[in-house]
């Protein structure tokens, strides 16, 4: 959604009910995974968020979200893939309950955050790619607004500002981009849904 | 002359995808075999500090890691003999299947389901390759199914990709292996078999093959 809005591309948004009633359109458009998001352009469906982002970038080149230089593009894609690969680790932490598994999940998450802090972000760069927001920032977006809610639900704070100054600065920069600021989910609503999701999936949470 | 180095290992299918792409485009490069178990080179550690893995492509001193990221870089930097379709939607479909295979490389569960999905949704009756009449990046990423998979099945002692169950996959594998660049750049069968068998013994301590 952010990518389309950053490029000023109008679209129709359809909210799917994934748990009780996936629409016919969704099942027909993504027969392999039956998951969202799915972008349908002139009747042709595209699935997988990173594939959709590349498609959007190619089809609407105005307000580019990838660098021009091929090596810089490769670096952007490297970090996009990194975050995609680490999302299960972040969610394993979110779904964990106190105990050995949570200790391991904490350790894995801290390592991910440390790698991003040390290798992904640069002192002099506002965003992952430089001075302008790009696809990589969109893919890391959840760290800027959703992550602290997840930490609150688990009852464990990992992304402390003194340990991860670059990540915190990046998060502030990210959220101050007007398209992002205007298109963040409502905090309380998101918190309630995440808490509910954890309860359904693992049966308990630390938050009261 | 542009300096191009590829750090890889003989048995890695991730490395092989990159080699095929460079050769299909006729791009010369220097190949450096890495010893991942006992002695990773300084160059590898410096070029891929996040993962310390191969393949790594180093172009004019700048390193690129992650095989699919390298493939996109190669496609953009050397557009001759294109390996992605021109049409954006077709490109999106190619990338969807590349991501599918990447996810399955990691998951390694329920192989039959994976093969079935590829057979039913990924391949089309009238298409020689994943993208159509010409070989493309998607075919390179699925490459291991065409030559390495049967060796792995032999080592495990279980045949999954039977021709009567997966006729399209078998036809695709034949088409893939008959492309001259691929045919000339497949690892030696016996050598690959020995290495895979050895790898399994080191990792899990046994194999079904005698």
């Amino acid at each position: 959604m952010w990518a389309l809005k950053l490029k000023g591309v109008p679209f129709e948004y359809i909210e799917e009910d994934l748990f009780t009633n996936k629409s016919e359109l969704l099942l027909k458009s993504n027969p392999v995974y039956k998951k969202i998001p799915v972008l349908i352009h002139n009747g042709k469906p595209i699935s997988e968020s990173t594939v959709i982002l590349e498609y959007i970038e190619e089809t609407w080149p105005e307000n580019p979200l990838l660098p021009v230089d091929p090596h810089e593009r490769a670096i952007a894609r490297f970090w996009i893939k990194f975050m995609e690969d680490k999302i299960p680790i972040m969610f394993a932490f979110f779904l964990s309950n106190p105990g050995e598994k949570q200790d391991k999940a904490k350790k894995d998450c801290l390592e991910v955050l440390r790698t991003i802090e040390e290798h992904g972000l640069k002192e002099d760069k506002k965003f992952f790619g430089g001075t302008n927001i790009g696809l990589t920032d969109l893919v890391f977006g959840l760290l800027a607004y959703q992550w602290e809610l997840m930490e609150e639900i688990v009852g464990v704070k990992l992304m402390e500002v003194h340990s991860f100054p670059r990540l915190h600065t990046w998060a502030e920069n990210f959220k101050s981009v007007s398209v992002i600021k205007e298109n963040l989910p409502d905090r309380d609503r998101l918190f309630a849904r995440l808490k509910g999701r954890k309860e359904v999936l693992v049966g308990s949470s630390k938050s009261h």
Side-chain angles (χ1 to χ4, degrees), chain A:
Chain A
M1 286 175 67
W2 291 329
L4 291 167
K5 290 190 186 240
L6 282 162
K7 288 175 179 285
V9 179
F11 61 98
E12 181 193 348
Y13 173 69
I14 300 167
E15 175 86 10
E16 283 284 332
D17 176 357
L18 296 180
F19 291 100
T20 53
N21 193 21
K22 288 181 183 180
S23 72
E24 269 308 303
L25 184 60
L26 173 61
L27 297 172
K28 198 182 68 166
S29 304
N30 189 0
V32 174
Y33 290 119
K34 307 179 179 56
K35 283 182 172 175
I36 57 94
V38 176
L39 187 72
I40 306 173
H41 187 203
N42 295 331
K44 294 181 185 175
I46 303 129
S47 310
E48 289 296 304
S49 69
T50 51
V51 174
I52 297 171
L53 290 175
E54 292 271 2
Y55 177 85
I56 290 170
E57 182 64 8
E58 286 182 353
T59 309
W60 295 280
E62 55 272 22
N63 300 337
L65 297 173
L66 277 179
V68 171
D69 174 70
H71 188 250
E72 297 289 315
R73 287 162 83 87
I75 293 174
R77 288 179 173 131
F78 173 89
W79 287 105
I80 287 171
K81 186 163 200 300
F82 176 88
M83 191 58 184
E84 285 279 284
D85 290 348
K86 301 306 175 191
I87 288 208
I89 293 178
M90 314 306 271
F91 275 86
F93 166 75
F94 170 61
L95 295 175
S96 69
N97 288 317
E100 231 180 272
K101 282 210 173 133
Q102 184 170 95
D103 292 334
K104 175 155 198 319
K106 273 163 65 177
K107 198 164 155 282
D108 292 341
C109 265
L110 275 170
E111 210 182 292
V112 171
L113 294 173
R114 178 112 328 266
T115 304
I116 300 166
E117 178 78 18
E118 279 170 25
H119 295 278
L121 291 164
K122 303 274 172 273
E123 280 299 338
D124 55 337
K125 287 188 172 168
K126 248 189 122 185
F127 299 100
F128 274 90
T131 41
N132 298 316
I133 195 170
L135 290 187
T136 315
D137 304 280
L138 304 188
V139 171
F140 277 81
L142 88 113
L143 288 182
Y145 73 95
Q146 183 160 320
W147 185 247
E148 54 172 342
L149 301 180
M150 291 163 86
E151 285 179 334
E152 210 178 306
I153 292 168
V154 177
V156 175
K157 182 113 188 112
L158 294 178
M159 199 170 115
E160 312 241 34
V161 61
H162 57 264
S163 306
F164 301 99
R166 290 180 186 179
L167 258 166
H168 274 264
T169 304
W170 166 80
E172 291 312 305
N173 292 337
F174 181 76
K175 283 184 291 197
S176 46
V177 173
S178 45
V179 165
I180 303 301
K181 194 158 58 180
E182 290 154 23
N183 287 283
L184 286 172
D186 174 75
R187 203 183 190 284
D188 296 327
R189 198 167 144 199
L190 181 60
F191 185 87
R193 285 217 190 179
L194 287 170
K195 190 153 171 292
R197 180 72 52 83
K198 181 166 177 170
E199 269 156 25
V200 163
L201 289 171
V202 301
S204 72
S205 85
K206 289 229 85 178
S207 194
H208 310 292

